Amino acid sequence: MNGEIEGEFRRGRKHRYRSVTHTGSRKGQGPKWIIELRNWLITAVIVFAVMSMLNIFVFNVSTVIGHSMQPTLYEGEKLVINKITLSFAAPGRGDVIVLHDPSTGPDRKEYLVKRVIGIPGDIIEVKEHQLYVNGELADEPYIDTEVEDSDFPALTVEKGTYFVMGDNRHAGASKDSRFFGSVPLSSIVGKAEYIWWPLSKLGAL
């Protein structure tokens, strides 16, 4: 009889112990929806931080404004801008880049999209409405007309700077190095790598 009473006592004590520990565990965790909300918020913060860092240092998306790069780019098209590439290689002739607008005045924009025509040391000249680089007629399959603006006298691109032009060579269509001079590397934000919108033009530049 005493053995049976002792057994019941032990089972009762174990039951109370399990009840206390289980109850304490549930209290520590809280309702399931709160835990899920907390995990979701943590994930959202991490994703936002990572995307912000990528946007600042690696790439971002830019929208074309204006018509200075036609027929290559049209207003409203969206580009993927590679920022980190400038850490490994300088811009080359023919690259499409995004740069801070170096001009002043009421029509100044925050950014411009242009094509690199001349790198440091190059001699740039527009003669008889044709573009010459280092004395040779430039091969420009991306344009649809000769240079309709006035001729541009020979100029040597200074060290650390780049001569840029828009692909639109119609009169007055592009504000570029013919007007504000060569731009320093520090003014270049990145290289335009891809058109991602509209989908019909999806592809590399």
Side-chain angles (χ1 to χ4, degrees):
M1 178 66 69
N2 289 339
E4 292 177 358
I5 294 174
E6 184 177 353
E8 290 295 333
F9 174 75
R10 289 178 179 174
R11 284 195 294 271
R13 186 169 59 181
K14 289 180 180 178
H15 177 73
R16 287 194 300 272
Y17 175 76
R18 285 197 298 269
S19 299
V20 170
T21 55
H22 290 175
T23 302
S25 176
R26 286 194 298 270
K27 287 183 178 178
Q29 293 177 353
K32 184 177 180 181
W33 71 270
I34 293 180
I35 297 172
E36 292 179 351
L37 177 61
R38 180 189 64 190
N39 292 339
W40 185 89
L41 289 174
I42 291 173
T43 301
V45 169
I46 293 173
V47 170
F48 178 79
V50 170
M51 293 303 295
S52 296
M53 294 296 288
L54 290 174
N55 183 64
I56 293 172
F57 298 108
V58 182
F59 73 89
N60 68 3
V61 174
S62 179
T63 301
V64 177
I65 299 175
H67 56 271
S68 70
M69 283 297 290
Q70 292 179 8
T72 304
L73 300 172
Y74 287 82
E75 186 164 21
E77 293 179 348
K78 299 186 183 299
L79 311 174
V80 175
I81 310 302
N82 185 339
K83 294 182 175 181
I84 200 170
T85 186
L86 298 181
S87 301
F88 303 99
R93 294 189 203 96
D95 287 348
V96 177
I97 61 170
V98 173
L99 65 145
H100 294 286
D101 188 349
S103 66
T104 58
D107 62 340
R108 183 183 182 277
K109 300 180 176 64
E110 185 174 4
Y111 299 105
L112 299 175
V113 181
K114 301 296 176 183
R115 189 181 296 273
V116 175
I117 300 300
I119 61 176
D122 283 348
I123 299 175
I124 307 299
E125 180 182 13
V126 176
K127 181 173 57 178
E128 296 180 354
H129 301 286
Q130 300 290 329
L131 175 66
Y132 289 82
V133 179
N134 297 325
E136 297 184 1
L137 182 64
D139 180 21
E140 298 186 288
Y142 40 79
I143 63 174
D144 61 2
T145 184
E146 64 179 12
V147 180
E148 294 181 352
D149 293 303
S150 301
D151 286 353
F152 187 87
L155 171 149
T156 300
V157 183
E158 295 181 2
K159 181 179 179 180
T161 67
Y162 297 83
F163 194 96
V164 300
M165 291 177 65
D167 289 356
N168 191 338
R169 303 298 167 78
H170 293 277
S174 175
K175 178 178 66 175
D176 51 41
S177 288
R178 292 171 292 171
F179 304 96
F180 50 64
S182 299
V183 296
L185 181 60
S186 59
S187 293
I188 300 175
V189 177
K191 179 181 176 181
E193 297 275 13
Y194 301 96
I195 301 174
W196 73 270
W197 186 264
L199 295 179
S200 59
K201 291 189 66 175
L202 181 67
L205 284 169

